[in-house]
């Protein structure tokens, strides 16, 4: 079994691909974050796992001063390039678990599709320590949900069951309404108040090649042995081109969870 620490490092293998194919986040998410958290220009934001800056850029565009901590040096290099026009942004190459907190607390801690990679014994407690009283922890998650090319995502399971033995039989994307709103990690900590959730759904189209590139940005696909990975991708390509006209539509649920430090 591949552990969390080894899997989270695979994103740095092809930072340019990740930056090109990942869908980013709806702009309204950042407006909602600013409104709920009461953040204005000049607010100090700590971002955990900024990747190539897909969430950092919208934060910077709203006038926030951002310290972005990123484990992967290649990902951080892309983020720095994208953020070169924002002098109020600093990108630090370090694991969040090892990064020393500065003396001045932050108004918000933000983590977009990265918080689950942080050691759970550290993530919530250190985030609380980084915040001023009343500051917010905003965690963004992305889910593949039912919708879009439903028949394709049912048929493609045959490819996964053949080439990835970890695939549960009959796996299907859940309806967005069935994805639980989970705030257990902050509730149990005793450091944060009740969570507020905002949810956004959208469908994005892909050509076969674009969809395969997207799959190569996911850690579970990159971690497959090369022969299995190539077999899986060839199977998916044949299915998408042969039965679905070379076009796949994927439905995303993006969730913003905001909790306030007590």
């Amino acid at each position: 079994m591949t552990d969390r620490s080894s899997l989270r490092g695979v994103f740095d293998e092809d930072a340019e691909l990740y930056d090109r194919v990942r869908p980013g986040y709806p702009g309204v998410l950042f407006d909602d974050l600013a409104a709920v958290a009461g953040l204005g220009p000049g607010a100090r934001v700590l971002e955990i796992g900024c990747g190539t800056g897909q969430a950092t850029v919208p934060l910077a565009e709203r006038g926030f001063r951002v310290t972005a901590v990123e484990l992967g040096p290649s990902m951080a290099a892309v983020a720095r390039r994208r953020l070169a026009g924002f002098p109020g942004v600093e990108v630090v190459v370090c694991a969040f678990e090892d990064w020393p907190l500065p003396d001045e607390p932050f108004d918000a801690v933000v983590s977009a599709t990265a918080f689950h990679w942080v050691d759970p014994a550290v993530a919530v407690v250190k985030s609380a320590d980084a915040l001023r009283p009343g500051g917010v922890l905003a965690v963004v998650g992305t889910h593949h949900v039912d919708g879009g090319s439903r028949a394709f995502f049912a048929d493609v399971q045959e490819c996964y069951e053949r080439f990835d033995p970890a695939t549960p039989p009959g796996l299907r994307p859940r309806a967005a309404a069935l994805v639980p709103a989970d705030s257990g990690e902050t509730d149990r900590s005793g450091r944060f108040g009740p969570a507020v959730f905002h949810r956004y759904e959208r469908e994005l189209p892909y050509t076969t090649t674009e969809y395969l590139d997207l799959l190569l940005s996911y850690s579970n696909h990159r971690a497959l042995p090369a022969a299995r990975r190539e077999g899986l991708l060839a199977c998916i390509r044949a299915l998408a081109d042969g039965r679905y006209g070379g076009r796949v539509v994927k439905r995303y649920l993006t969730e913003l969870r905001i909790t306030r430090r007590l």
Side-chain angles (χ1 to χ4, degrees):
M1 181 179 293
T2 307
D3 62 21
R4 178 197 306 263
S5 60
S6 59
L7 269 181
R8 74 178 188 175
V10 304
F11 298 110
D12 206 53
E13 294 174 354
D14 196 339
E16 297 288 351
L17 173 73
Y18 183 99
D19 188 57
R20 175 168 55 84
V21 302
R22 283 298 182 104
Y25 307 96
V28 67
L29 180 154
F30 301 95
D31 296 332
D32 290 341
L33 168 60
V36 173
L39 301 176
R44 297 187 73 245
V45 175
L46 168 62
E47 186 183 2
I48 301 172
C50 73
T52 60
Q54 291 187 329
T56 324
V57 171
L59 292 170
E61 288 173 339
R62 284 156 178 80
F64 304 149
R65 293 179 292 153
V66 184
T67 299
V69 180
E70 168 54 42
L71 174 70
S74 296
M75 302 281 271
V78 176
R80 286 184 179 130
R81 186 181 72 223
R82 296 185 65 189
L83 292 153
F86 297 98
V89 176
E90 176 188 18
V91 179
V92 179
V93 178
C94 191
F96 177 65
E97 296 90 333
D98 301 327
W99 184 64
L101 294 177
D103 293 334
E104 184 181 358
F106 293 89
D107 300 303
V109 173
V110 177
S111 187
T113 324
F115 204 65
H116 61 289
W117 291 112
V118 181
D119 183 344
V122 175
V124 172
V125 172
K126 191 167 183 177
S127 295
D129 291 342
L131 287 165
R132 61 168 173 79
V136 301
L137 170 62
V139 177
V140 179
T142 301
H143 308 272
H144 174 200
V145 294
D146 184 44
S149 303
R150 286 191 176 93
F152 168 80
F153 289 111
D155 291 343
V156 81
Q157 288 307 117
E158 295 181 12
C159 296
Y160 281 95
E161 290 174 20
R162 189 188 319 167
F163 292 101
D164 182 0
T167 302
L171 185 66
R172 299 289 185 274
R174 289 182 291 182
L178 298 180
V179 177
D182 183 11
S183 60
E185 59 187 355
T186 50
D187 294 343
R188 291 187 296 269
S189 73
R191 303 289 299 276
F192 291 91
V196 175
F197 292 88
H198 292 259
R199 289 185 159 193
Y200 319 85
E201 294 182 52
R202 55 183 173 157
E203 292 188 348
L204 298 179
Y206 298 92
T207 65
T208 300
T209 297
E210 289 169 343
Y211 185 66
L212 295 179
D213 284 345
L214 176 70
L215 295 181
L216 284 173
S217 76
Y218 292 124
S219 59
N220 58 339
H221 289 73
R222 297 193 72 90
L224 283 174
R228 288 188 177 274
R229 183 174 62 249
E230 293 308 313
L232 173 63
L233 296 178
C235 182
I236 296 173
R237 180 180 290 280
L239 175 66
D241 284 344
R243 204 178 301 174
Y244 293 94
R247 185 176 182 272
V248 173
V249 177
K250 184 172 180 177
R251 187 169 185 84
Y252 293 92
L253 166 67
T254 304
E255 181 184 80
L256 169 64
R257 184 185 79 208
I258 301 175
T259 48
R260 195 173 295 276
R261 182 191 158 181
L262 298 175

